[in-house]
Amino acid sequence: MTRPGFHLAIPVDDLARAREFYGGVLGLPEGRSDTAWVDWNFHGHQVVTHVVPGARPESGRNPVDGHDVPVPHFGLILSVEDFHELADKLRAAGTRFVIEPYQRFAGEPGEQWTMFLHDPAGNALEFKAFRDESQLFAK
């Protein structure tokens, strides 16, 4: 299945820290940039970090599985192997998880792994992996 790409622009307060996180920790290739923004290749999608000075309000929260899920958030659906490799990489980088990697719906339709974290500017990200990606919308 070929999916259309998405473009997402997010605010950051420091491009050097954004480069350390998105380029260094997540390992995303950097695309075009200027003094106030950087394009990132987010596994074939375009995420742009734009410098926006000033504090940002904390995101909202929604209770899911006994966790307070940050809203809004964005992320990727990875293979199970890539999910665990990324979780190990994030742990090695000293990342503080909002929600530690854990498995949901074990043995049920939609079985998945998920984790939540913030980038250095406070943007919430979720990475997940399905045992069977064809069950992405399974009930």
Side-chain angles (χ1 to χ4, degrees):
M1 177 169 125
T2 301
R3 295 183 179 135
F6 70 82
H7 165 87
L8 177 67
I10 58 172
V12 299
D13 53 2
D14 185 319
L15 277 185
R17 288 187 349 163
R19 280 187 164 107
E20 288 173 15
F21 179 76
Y22 288 96
V25 176
L26 295 183
L28 302 180
E30 184 175 324
R32 292 177 300 274
S33 66
D34 199 345
T35 57
W37 55 269
V38 176
D39 285 345
W40 299 101
N41 180 344
F42 199 63
H43 294 259
H45 304 284
Q46 185 184 48
V47 170
V48 185
T49 49
H50 285 271
V51 174
V52 178
R56 274 171 274 303
E58 184 174 336
S59 63
R61 304 285 174 163
N62 189 19
V64 177
D65 291 346
H67 299 281
D68 286 330
V69 171
V71 178
H73 62 264
F74 71 98
L76 289 173
I77 299 167
L78 303 169
S79 70
V80 173
E81 181 181 337
D82 288 347
F83 174 90
H84 290 293
E85 285 178 15
L86 178 58
D88 290 343
K89 188 175 185 179
L90 290 165
R91 285 185 187 107
T95 300
R96 285 185 38 197
F97 291 95
V98 174
I99 299 173
E100 291 278 340
Y102 78 103
Q103 188 178 35
R104 302 180 68 203
F105 311 121
E108 299 177 31
E111 180 179 315
Q112 63 189 267
W113 287 88
T114 187
M115 63 179 146
F116 288 82
L117 56 130
H118 285 115
D119 74 4
N123 296 298
L125 290 90
E126 177 186 18
F127 294 94
K128 57 173 49 182
F130 285 79
R131 180 176 48 85
D132 177 356
E133 194 174 326
S134 73
Q135 294 186 349
L136 183 64
F137 299 105
K139 295 181 179 182

